[in-house]
Amino acid sequence: MADSTPTRRNATRPLIVTLIVIVVIAALGFAYASPYMALNNLKRAADARDAQTVNEYVDFPALRESLKQQVTGLLLTRRLDAHGNGNPFAAIGAMIGVALIGPLVDAYATPDGVAALLNGMPPRGNPGERPPVPGAAENPPAAAAPAPQPPVAGNTNNGAANNGNDATPPQPPQTTAGYRGLNEFVVTYQHGAGDARYSAILQREGLFTWKLAAVNLNE
């Protein structure tokens, strides 16, 4: 009786090769998508002020150092521009700002600061600046409501258009995201065509792990 073992091996070899190829393709796809998933998870956690999850996706020592360098450069540029324009008061303000970089950096190297960075609200280098209070930008304090008016014949909206509720809400920033090298993933924010851009930079740690590690305030 002929031995069927070689035949069985030959039959299973294509299946094993196919499975290996599928696993490799799936791993490569997951590796490519991993920074997008990390960014999504980080933004959700930051918006919810979930400090524990934010800590998993942010390298706070690296982010703090990057913020310090970027805000210092921002203020020094402002100081040089003020000197060039002959405005001593602006130069003094920039010098004061340099002295207050530490508290500003400490305020933005927090879940509140990360949420601000990922929602188009970077630090501007102003003295005493802090990240916006959660919900303040989306829900500004309402003005005193006007006294109700009696309906006017022929007016079907009962004066609703005059209640001050037709103000255009602030638009979210335009964002673009993509790789800038094998181990660097950059998200760029811009509110309008003429506005300055800035970026949040995620660095790879291992094969699938990404962390927010730097910003560029003058993209």
Side-chain angles (χ1 to χ4, degrees):
M1 180 176 181
D3 187 1
S4 62
T5 302
T7 303
R8 292 176 181 174
R9 290 177 180 174
N10 292 337
T12 57
R13 188 173 299 169
L15 178 60
I16 294 174
V17 172
T18 301
L19 291 175
I20 292 174
V21 170
I22 292 174
V23 170
V24 170
I25 292 175
L28 291 175
F30 184 79
Y32 179 82
S34 58
Y36 295 93
M37 294 187 291
L39 177 64
N40 181 62
N41 292 339
L42 172 58
K43 189 175 186 308
R44 287 186 177 183
D47 288 343
R49 301 316 190 264
D50 180 355
Q52 182 176 353
T53 304
V54 169
N55 287 336
E56 297 176 3
Y57 289 98
V58 180
D59 183 346
F60 276 110
L63 178 61
R64 185 176 287 106
E65 184 63 27
S66 177
L67 282 166
K68 182 178 179 180
Q69 294 177 2
Q70 290 292 311
V71 175
T72 299
L74 189 69
L75 291 173
L76 290 178
T77 300
R78 190 179 300 171
R79 179 180 176 185
L80 291 174
D81 290 343
H83 276 299
N85 295 330
N87 187 344
F89 295 105
I92 293 173
M95 292 174 64
I96 294 174
V98 169
L100 298 176
I101 285 177
L104 187 155
V105 169
D106 290 340
Y108 269 85
T110 61
D112 282 348
V114 171
L117 289 171
L118 299 182
N119 283 286
M121 294 174 283
R124 303 294 183 183
N126 300 321
E129 183 178 5
R130 298 184 63 83
V133 176
E138 296 82 4
N139 300 300
Q149 301 294 325
V152 179
N155 186 357
T156 58
N157 61 10
N158 294 332
N162 297 323
N163 287 340
N165 296 326
D166 56 347
T168 303
Q171 298 299 313
Q174 301 172 3
T175 61
T176 57
Y179 282 88
R180 191 180 290 177
L182 183 62
N183 299 316
E184 188 172 274
F185 186 83
V186 179
V187 190
T188 302
Y189 300 83
Q190 185 176 21
H191 280 279
D195 292 341
R197 300 188 304 170
Y198 77 97
S199 59
I201 302 169
L202 281 72
Q203 299 284 349
R204 185 195 297 273
E205 291 190 4
L207 185 58
F208 303 118
T209 303
W210 294 81
K211 289 189 176 184
L212 176 63
V215 293
N216 186 343
L217 300 180
N218 189 22
E219 181 70 18

